[in-house]
């Protein structure tokens, strides 16, 4: 597998970053992640080669379906085939980029009240907790486009970021579903390469998302004392909701750790993520048997697999809001299809022109509002 090693392993963390021990998070995730499928060296090499080939083969199809010229030239980003530990480490690097401004402001506001020793202890605790979350997620994610990789300290990633394909998980799922590996790998790559094309088509999108993430993070981290009180309330509520059989709409933490300003920031990010995920799903669904011969079988078995999750996994998914992410795929896809039905793919592609053209959360649920606002 290909390494994502980089700034997370640097010894000289800034004082702001010391509140989260990123290196500990990465190492804890690698240690706690469940083992992947059993593969020998030849099988690993073949899987890496086949996934890279599938990633390359998917690009012309993405170009044909999306009609985005950015798909013709993706040289500003790269494709890596990784294992679970490397995926987790890559995400600690991206989290460090996303959270650094908010943590720095929090440190400045609390200057003199957090000793180096307290920061170190806090960083170890937070790093361990983040590592546990990443360990769980690292066995679930099939692929991820990381637009922030180049912004990490000491990064060698190309300017456009990198696409990560998590080989153990792709192989595990294709075996679980008993589907044709070559078909499944191409199907997965169609979705993930679409994300790569989205950010290439909208170069402004990376910094727009960083600003919005910073906005939300600043609200959440702005008052640490209040945050801890709300975290306790979230834990109590999750226990109560689990006992009653009800579940939070976005996940227990995101449901409860919100002021009105946080709700507005989260609403915007939810709309953007719904758009990105829904658009990628529309691309996946647009392929037919001429591209992926067993696509109908793959779709049916992939959609049915979520019904077999155990109680513990359902609890964790509820806590982290992962089922809400699945709704983003559905809601966003409905929006994209509704717009394309009226104005075609070229009309829909106006969404990539500027941040002002991004749909709001109400518009995701009613495409007519967006169409009217765009004058389409």
């Amino acid at each position: 597998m290909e390494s994502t090693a980089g700034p997370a392993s640097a010894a000289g963390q800034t004082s702001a970053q010391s509140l989260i021990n990123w290196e500990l998070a990465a190492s804890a995730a690698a240690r706690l992640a469940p083992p992947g499928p059993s593969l020998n060296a030849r099988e690993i090499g073949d899987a890496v080669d086949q996934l890279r080939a599938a990633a390359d083969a998917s690009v012309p199809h993405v170009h044909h379906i999306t009609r985005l010229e950015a798909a013709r030239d993706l040289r500003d980003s790269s494709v890596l085939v990784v294992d679970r530990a490397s995926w987790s480490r890559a995400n600690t690097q991206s989290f460090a980029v996303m959270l650094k401004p908010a943590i720095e402001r929090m440190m400045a506001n609390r200057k003199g009240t957090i000793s180096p020793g307290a920061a170190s202890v806090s960083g170890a605790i937070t790093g361990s907790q983040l590592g546990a979350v990443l360990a769980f997620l690292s066995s679930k994610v099939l692929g991820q486009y990381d637009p922030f990789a180049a912004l990490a300290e000491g990064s060698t990633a190309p300017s456009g970021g990198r696409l990560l394909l998590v080989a153990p998980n792709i192989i595990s799922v294709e075996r679980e579903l008993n589907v044709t590996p070559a078909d499944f790998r191409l199907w997965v790559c169609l979705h993930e390469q679409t994300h790569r094309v989205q950010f290439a088509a909208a170069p402004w999108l990376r910094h727009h998302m960083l600003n919005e993430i910073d906005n939300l993070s600043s609200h959440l981290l702005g008052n640490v004392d209040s945050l801890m009180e709300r975290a306790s309330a979230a834990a109590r509520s999750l226990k109560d909701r689990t006992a009653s059989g009800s579940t939070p709409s976005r996940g227990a933490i995101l449901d409860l750790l919100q002021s009105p300003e946080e709700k507005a920031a989260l609403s915007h990010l939810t709309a953007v993520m719904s758009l990105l995920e829904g658009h990628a799903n529309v691309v996946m669904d647009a392929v037919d048997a001429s591209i992926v011969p067993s696509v109908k079988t793959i779709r049916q078995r992939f959609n049915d697999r979520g019904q077999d999750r155990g109680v513990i996994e359902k609890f964790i998914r509820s806590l982290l809001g992962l089922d809400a992410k699945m709704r983003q795929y559905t809601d966003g896809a409905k929006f994209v299809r509704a717009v394309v039905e009226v104005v075609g793919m070229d009309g829909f592609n106006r969404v990539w022109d500027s941040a002002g053209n991004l749909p709001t959360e109400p518009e995701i649920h009613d495409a007519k509002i967006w169409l009217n606002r765009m004058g389409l």
Side-chain angles (χ1 to χ4, degrees):
M1 306 295 172
E2 295 153 313
S3 173
T4 61
S9 59
Q13 293 178 322
T14 66
S15 59
Q17 291 174 311
S18 67
L19 285 182
I20 303 177
N21 189 325
W22 300 110
E23 174 60 29
L24 180 58
S27 60
R31 184 178 69 255
L32 296 173
S38 178
L39 298 168
N40 59 40
R42 181 184 61 79
E43 289 172 324
I44 292 174
D46 288 347
V48 171
D49 291 343
Q50 291 169 15
L51 281 168
R52 291 191 66 84
D56 289 341
S58 65
V59 174
H61 300 304
V62 173
H63 176 239
H64 174 72
I65 295 167
T66 65
R67 299 175 62 84
L68 289 171
E69 284 304 300
R72 287 190 184 274
D73 188 357
L74 293 175
R75 288 178 295 178
D76 68 336
S77 56
S78 61
V79 177
L80 294 179
V81 181
V82 300
D83 58 16
R84 292 170 178 176
S86 295
W87 177 86
S88 295
R89 181 170 293 279
N91 273 269
T92 64
Q93 295 165 9
S94 291
F95 288 162
V97 170
M98 290 185 281
L99 295 178
K100 183 179 178 181
I103 294 177
E104 285 180 339
R105 283 193 295 272
M106 184 187 73
M107 291 286 288
N109 292 336
R110 296 174 65 88
K111 188 175 182 180
T113 65
I114 302 178
S115 68
S120 178
V121 171
S122 173
I125 294 173
T126 308
S128 297
Q129 292 172 337
L130 177 59
V133 172
L134 287 173
F136 173 79
L137 294 176
S138 72
S139 66
K140 308 299 177 186
V141 176
L142 300 181
Q144 174 189 356
Y145 185 66
D146 177 6
F148 309 125
L151 302 179
E153 183 179 349
S155 175
T156 59
S159 61
R162 57 194 177 193
L163 172 61
L164 307 175
L165 298 172
V166 191
N169 298 346
I170 294 172
I171 294 169
S172 179
V173 172
E174 70 191 23
R175 289 179 175 180
E176 174 191 342
L177 300 181
N178 191 26
V179 294
T180 304
D183 287 2
F184 184 72
R185 294 169 190 183
L186 179 58
W187 189 69
V188 169
C189 287
L190 286 163
H191 180 103
E192 302 305 336
Q193 288 283 39
T194 301
H195 288 315
R196 194 177 174 204
V197 171
Q198 290 164 347
F199 281 87
W204 50 267
L205 183 57
R206 175 175 63 172
H207 286 287
H208 175 75
M209 288 194 68
L210 271 181
N211 289 336
E212 293 302 318
I213 291 168
D214 180 32
N215 182 26
L216 178 59
S217 301
S218 296
H219 285 301
L220 291 174
L221 297 177
N223 188 331
V224 177
D225 297 330
S226 172
L227 181 64
M228 295 307 295
E229 292 174 3
R230 288 182 286 163
S232 297
R236 290 193 300 270
S237 177
L238 179 64
K239 180 179 178 181
D240 294 341
R241 295 181 187 198
T242 302
S244 66
S246 61
T247 57
S249 60
R250 300 179 195 267
I253 293 176
L254 292 181
D255 255 358
L256 294 168
L257 303 188
Q258 303 176 57
S259 67
E261 293 80 9
E262 293 161 6
K263 288 182 180 180
L266 181 59
S267 176
H268 180 73
L269 279 173
T270 297
V272 174
M273 293 306 299
S274 295
L275 170 71
L276 299 181
E277 297 294 355
H279 180 237
N281 258 26
V282 167
V283 171
M284 289 175 78
D285 290 344
V287 303
D288 57 23
S290 68
I291 300 173
V292 181
S294 58
V295 65
K296 289 185 178 179
T297 300
I298 290 173
R299 284 186 189 131
Q300 180 179 350
R301 294 180 184 177
F302 189 83
N303 291 335
D304 289 346
R305 68 188 290 265
Q307 300 172 8
D308 299 325
R309 295 192 182 105
V311 174
I312 293 177
E313 183 175 344
K314 287 180 179 178
F315 176 84
I316 295 174
R317 293 181 70 87
S318 176
L319 177 66
L320 298 177
L322 297 184
D323 288 326
K325 180 175 176 61
M326 296 307 296
R327 286 193 294 274
Q328 289 176 0
Y329 286 67
T330 302
D331 295 343
K334 287 180 179 177
F335 169 81
V336 175
R337 291 190 181 100
V339 171
V340 170
E341 184 177 353
V342 176
V343 296
M345 189 61 77
D346 290 332
F348 165 79
N349 282 339
R350 283 189 57 184
V351 78
W352 311 116
D353 289 348
S354 69
N357 287 7
L358 291 172
T360 64
E361 196 169 11
E363 288 171 344
I364 285 288
H365 296 288
D366 187 350
K368 291 180 182 178
I369 304 175
W370 184 85
L371 287 165
N372 289 337
R373 180 164 68 87
M374 293 295 104
L376 296 173

